[in-house]
Amino acid sequence: MHELSIATAIIERADELARADGTDAVSAVTVRVGELSGVVPDALDFAFEVARGGTALAAARLVVEQVPAQAYCGPCAEEFSVGMPPFFWCPRCDRPSTDLRSGRELEITGIEARR
């Protein structure tokens, strides 16, 4: 379960950022997880709960924003959902697309300090 190593990295980075901002406790961490990132949001949430114990994030919650996979077709200027499993064929003009616009994200977008 690679989500445990990802959760641990999120906790370490959030702790670093919070301390750099003068905060020693975090109440929430928000992450964006793309549909094609290979990360299962429920597994990440579970791993976060396990890994946060004994850290400055011991009482923190993980907020996961899921990002759908979207591709763009240059010939007809159509943006479309790729889905899972991914299908990169434009539904409008029936051509393949190589321009993935979203869906691979795995990033921390917010850290909320505990007051």
Side-chain angles (χ1 to χ4, degrees):
M1 175 162 114
H2 70 284
E3 280 83 0
L4 183 57
S5 62
I6 294 168
T8 301
I10 290 169
I11 290 165
E12 290 171 357
R13 184 65 178 142
D15 184 46
E16 289 172 12
L17 293 170
R19 290 183 192 278
D21 199 35
T23 302
D24 61 352
V26 174
S27 63
V29 178
T30 303
V31 295
R32 288 172 37 96
V33 177
E35 184 176 19
L36 302 178
S37 68
V39 176
V40 178
D42 289 340
L44 181 60
D45 189 51
F46 176 77
F48 184 86
E49 287 185 30
V50 170
R52 71 183 179 183
T55 72
L57 284 85
R61 62 182 166 55
L62 183 66
V63 178
V64 177
E65 296 175 351
Q66 296 184 39
V67 181
Q70 297 283 316
Y72 179 77
C73 178
C76 72
E78 177 80 7
E79 188 166 294
F80 59 95
S81 294
V82 173
M84 198 59 174
F87 188 69
F88 293 94
W89 214 262
C90 179
R92 184 178 196 189
C93 72
D94 201 31
R95 293 183 182 148
S97 172
T98 58
D99 187 357
L100 184 63
R101 295 282 170 103
S102 66
R104 289 183 284 192
E105 296 82 357
L106 181 55
E107 59 192 0
I108 296 172
T109 58
I111 300 169
E112 187 176 309
R114 188 171 62 197
R115 309 232 181 252

